[in-house]
Amino acid sequence: MKPVLLIASLIFALRTDHVSSQKWVNLVNQPVTPPATRVSWTAAGNDLNVNTVSAADCDKVMNLSASQRCEFVVTTPDCAAEDGFINYPWITFCLLTPQLLPLGIFLYVSSFIGCPHFCPNLSAISSSLRLTHNVAGVTFLALGNGAPDVFSAMAAFSRPQTAGLAIGALFGAGIFVTTVVAGSVALVKPFTVASRPFLRDVIFYMAAVFWTFTILYKRQIELKEALGYLGLYVLYVVTVVVSTYVYNRRRARSFRGPLQNSDFTHEYEPLIPFTETTSKIFLKAINPVDTRTWRRSHWGWRALKIIQLPFEVVLLLTVPVVDTDKEDHNWKRPLNCLHLITGPLVCVLTFNSGTYGLYLIKGEFPVWLLTALIGVFLSGIVFCTTTNDHPPRYHFLFSLLGFVVSALWISTVASEVVSVLHLLGVILRLSNTVLGLTLLAWGNSIGDCFADITIARQGYPRMAISACFGGIIFNMLFGVGLGCLLQMFHTGVVMLEPEGLLCWVLAGALGLSLVLSFVLVPLQCFHLTRAYGIFLLLFYAVFLTIALLTEFGKIHT
C-alpha cells in the first residue's frame, strides 16, 4: 500500500463520522474492566461488538465525532501508551487538527525507514566464535536479516489487541517472499536451483506452516508447543550443518588439486602514505552519504536517502560496527570512543521503555547519569591507550556492544511500528491481520526483495533463492515461538481466536504456494523459468485480491 493510497483512504475515513453523541456518553459511562488474558485475532476491524478486549476499547474512537475523540482518548486507559515511548492516539486526536491528520499519519509511516547495523556485527561475532559459514548463516546472520520480523512479532504478541499483526505479518511475509521475491529472481535471471537444499528448505517451512495451522485450529498455544517451534529450528540448523559436511566431504574426494594463493593485498594501497587527523576521521565516520553513489543514483533514491539521513546519523553515533571484511575492521578511534558513552545510554534509556534509565538511586542520582559517567571514564581510557591507525586487541568486544544496542534499537522501533499500525487500523477501520499481511509484511520484506534481485542480476540467483527460504523459516519459528514464549510468562497459555475467514485464507494461501513449489519445481527439473516467475507473481496478486475482498466482507462463509 503506497503512502498516497494510505492518505486517500485516511481522508475518506475521516469524512465518515456519523455516530451520535449519545453513543459517546454510553461509551464513557461504561465501567473499565481489566484486559482479558487471551489473544484476540479478528478479521473484521470495523465491528463494535467483535470480541472486545475491554469495555472501553480504544478502537471505538473513530465511531465518535471529531470533537469528542480527544476526551475519549484521554479518559480511556486502553488508549495509553504501555510499551512504547509515544502516545500516538493522544497526538493524533488531541494535538493534531482533523485537517493535519493525514500529514501526521504520513510522517508516522515515513519515520520508521531505516534499520540498525546488525549484520556486520553478527558477522564479526561469528568470526570471533570461529563458526563455519553455514552455521553462522543459519544462526547469527539469519538473526541479522530477520531481526525486524522477529522483534515486530515479539512486540505484537506482547499486547492482546495487536497479536493479529504478528500472525498476519509472518504469514504475509512468507507469501510475499516465496512468490513475489522468488518470482522476481526467476524473471531477472532464469536458473537451476540446487535440488537438495531447495527441497530441504521447502519441507521445513511446510512443517512450520502446518504446525502454526494446527495451533490456530486448536485456538491456543501451550509451553511445549512454543518450545516445539524453537526445537524445529534447532533441527533445521543441525540438518543444514550435517548436509553441508557430507557435501564438502564428497566434493573433497572428487576434487584434489593444489590451491593457488593469490595476493591482492597491496593492489589498492596508496603510493604515498598519509595520516588523517582525529577530527577528519570522526567527520568521515558519521557521514552516511557516499558522494560517488550519490552522483550515480536516481532522484528517487536521493529523496529516500534524505529522509533516512537523520536516523542513519543517530545510528552511526550510537551503534559500533565491526566489519571483518575491512582491513582495519572499521576501527574509527574517536567514534568508537564516543560509542562507549552513547551505546550504554541507549541501552538503559530504551530497555523496558526507559524505566530503569530514569530510576533514581536513593531517590537522588539517576541511573542514566551514572551510566554516562562510567562511559566517559572508559572512553577516556580507550582514547589514551589506542591509536587511529591500528585497532586494539579487544576491538571485537565493540561488536558485542553493537549487537546489544542494535537489538534494543530494533526492539524499540518494532514496538513503535506496532503502535502506529494499530492506530492506522483504528483510523482506517482495518483489522490488525490485514495490516500485518500488507504494511508490516511489505515493510519487513521489501529490503530483502531488492537485495535478492540485485544478487540475481550479479549472477548469483542460487544465493538469492536460498536467502528467500532460509530467512522466512527463521522468522516463522522464532517469531511465533519466542513471541508466544515471552507472553506465557504473564498469561501461562496464549489463546488464539482466529474468528473470520481471513486467517484461513492466509494459512491456506501460504500452504498452497509451498505445495506448488514443492511439486512444480521438481517437474521442471529444478529450472526456474521466466514463465514460472510470472506464475508466482500472478499467484500473489490473486491471493491479495481474495484477502482484501474477505477483509471488506465481499467474501464470507
Side-chain angles (χ1 to χ4, degrees):
M1 186 180 295
K2 303 292 184 184
V4 176
L5 296 178
L6 241 176
I7 295 175
S9 302
L10 181 61
I11 295 173
F12 174 78
L14 292 175
R15 292 180 178 177
T16 58
D17 304 321
H18 57 274
V19 177
S20 65
S21 58
Q22 182 61 38
K23 287 190 176 180
W24 152 253
V25 175
N26 293 336
L27 287 172
V28 172
N29 292 334
Q30 286 178 347
V32 179
T33 58
T37 57
R38 67 188 181 209
V39 173
S40 177
W41 182 22
T42 64
N46 56 353
D47 190 351
L48 276 176
N49 299 318
V50 176
N51 199 14
T52 356
V53 176
S54 62
D57 196 344
C58 195
D59 294 355
K60 300 185 180 72
V61 66
M62 290 305 295
N63 295 302
L64 308 173
S65 65
S67 60
Q68 299 170 331
R69 291 169 184 165
C70 179
E71 186 178 355
F72 177 78
V73 166
V74 171
T75 57
T76 303
D78 188 56
C79 295
E82 297 179 358
D83 301 325
F85 290 89
I86 303 174
N87 190 332
Y88 296 99
W90 181 83
I91 293 177
T92 304
F93 299 113
C94 296
L95 195 60
L96 298 178
T97 61
Q99 292 77 16
L100 293 178
L101 191 53
L103 176 62
I105 299 301
F106 175 76
L107 294 177
Y108 288 158
V109 175
S110 302
S111 63
F112 297 116
I113 300 176
C115 183
H117 311 286
F118 219 54
C119 291
N121 284 321
L122 291 171
S123 179
I125 294 173
S126 302
S127 300
S128 301
L129 296 177
R130 303 179 185 276
L131 298 178
T132 64
H133 292 292
N134 294 290
V135 177
V138 296
T139 54
F140 283 105
L141 298 184
L143 174 60
N145 293 328
D149 303 84
V150 173
F151 280 100
S152 297
M154 291 169 58
F157 272 118
S158 66
R159 313 172 195 175
Q161 63 269 35
T162 58
L165 281 172
I167 301 295
L170 292 173
F171 274 42
I175 301 173
F176 183 85
V177 170
T178 56
T179 56
V180 175
V181 179
S184 300
V185 170
L187 280 174
V188 170
K189 190 78 172 179
F191 67 103
T192 301
V193 298
S195 57
R196 292 179 182 177
F198 176 80
L199 292 176
R200 176 199 65 205
D201 292 344
V202 171
I203 289 172
F204 268 96
Y205 195 39
M206 284 195 297
V209 172
F210 178 75
W211 189 273
T212 307
F213 186 89
T214 303
I215 289 172
L216 290 176
Y217 182 78
K218 292 175 55 180
R219 300 194 174 191
Q220 69 176 23
I221 177 170
E222 301 176 355
L223 178 61
K224 60 182 181 180
E225 293 166 334
L227 293 176
Y229 277 97
L230 305 181
L232 184 59
Y233 189 75
V234 172
L235 179 60
Y236 173 71
V237 172
V238 172
T239 304
V240 170
V241 173
V242 172
S243 60
T244 304
Y245 174 77
V246 173
Y247 173 77
N248 290 335
R249 284 286 299 271
R250 291 181 177 177
R251 186 180 182 184
R253 291 176 181 175
S254 60
F255 177 78
R256 295 183 183 273
L259 296 177
Q260 298 179 355
N261 185 16
S262 301
D263 188 8
F264 300 96
T265 305
H266 305 288
E267 183 177 353
Y268 295 103
E269 287 188 358
L271 297 176
I272 302 176
F274 67 97
T275 303
E276 291 182 322
T277 62
T278 301
S279 59
K280 285 185 177 180
I281 292 175
F282 178 78
L283 293 176
K284 187 178 179 180
I286 64 172
N287 180 18
V289 179
D290 183 5
T291 54
R292 290 174 296 181
T293 305
W294 179 270
R295 294 192 194 101
R296 296 194 304 263
S297 301
H298 189 261
W299 67 267
W301 182 90
R302 295 182 183 181
L304 182 62
K305 191 68 175 178
I306 292 174
I307 297 176
Q308 291 177 330
L309 277 178
F311 307 101
E312 291 186 356
V313 171
V314 171
L315 294 177
L316 289 171
L317 291 173
T318 56
V319 182
V321 179
V322 179
D323 192 348
T324 55
D325 292 333
K326 296 183 179 180
E327 184 178 356
D328 61 351
H329 288 192
N330 202 42
W331 167 250
K332 310 296 180 184
R333 178 169 165 246
L335 181 59
N336 288 144
C337 291
L338 179 63
H339 287 151
L340 293 175
I341 303 172
T342 58
L345 276 177
V346 169
C347 293
V348 298
L349 292 176
T350 57
F351 183 70
N352 199 21
S353 300
T355 303
Y356 298 104
L358 300 177
Y359 178 77
L360 298 178
I361 302 174
K362 293 186 177 180
E364 298 180 357
F365 200 77
V367 171
W368 69 265
L369 182 56
L370 176 62
T371 304
L373 293 176
I374 295 175
V376 170
F377 176 73
L378 294 176
S379 178
I381 293 177
V382 172
F383 190 83
C384 295
T385 57
T386 59
T387 63
N388 293 334
D389 302 325
H390 303 286
R393 293 182 178 179
Y394 52 82
H395 185 215
F396 73 94
L397 294 176
F398 281 84
S399 64
L400 298 175
L401 175 62
F403 171 77
V404 175
V405 177
S406 297
L408 288 173
W409 266 128
I410 294 176
S411 178
T412 301
V413 172
S415 181
E416 300 300 324
V417 167
V418 168
S419 298
V420 167
L421 289 177
H422 182 59
L423 178 65
L424 286 175
V426 171
I427 295 175
L428 302 178
R429 293 178 172 87
L430 296 174
S431 67
N432 288 327
T433 305
V434 77
L435 287 173
L437 71 92
T438 52
L439 285 181
L440 191 54
W442 294 341
N444 289 338
S445 305
I446 197 68
D448 295 334
C449 179
F450 286 118
D452 291 338
I453 292 175
T454 302
I455 292 173
R457 284 177 176 171
Q458 293 173 352
Y460 302 100
R462 282 191 176 186
M463 184 184 299
I465 205 70
S466 298
C468 289
F469 285 92
I472 54 179
I473 293 173
F474 176 86
N475 298 343
M476 173 70 75
L477 295 176
F478 259 73
V480 179
L482 196 57
C484 291
L485 192 63
L486 294 176
Q487 182 67 12
M488 285 178 184
F489 290 135
H490 304 285
T491 61
V493 176
V494 176
M495 303 298 296
L496 297 171
E497 298 190 4
E499 297 181 0
L501 187 61
L502 182 58
C503 61
W504 306 118
V505 171
L506 266 173
L510 181 55
L512 180 60
S513 69
L514 293 175
V515 170
L516 289 176
S517 297
F518 185 76
V519 174
L520 295 180
V521 173
L523 289 178
Q524 301 176 92
C525 298
F526 296 95
H527 184 71
L528 300 187
T529 62
R530 286 190 172 90
Y532 184 70
I534 295 174
F535 166 75
L536 292 177
L537 295 177
L538 291 176
F539 181 91
Y540 184 79
V542 172
F543 151 73
L544 190 61
T545 302
I546 294 175
L548 293 177
L549 290 176
T550 304
E551 166 69 15
F552 294 113
K554 302 300 181 180
I555 299 178
H556 52 80
T557 54

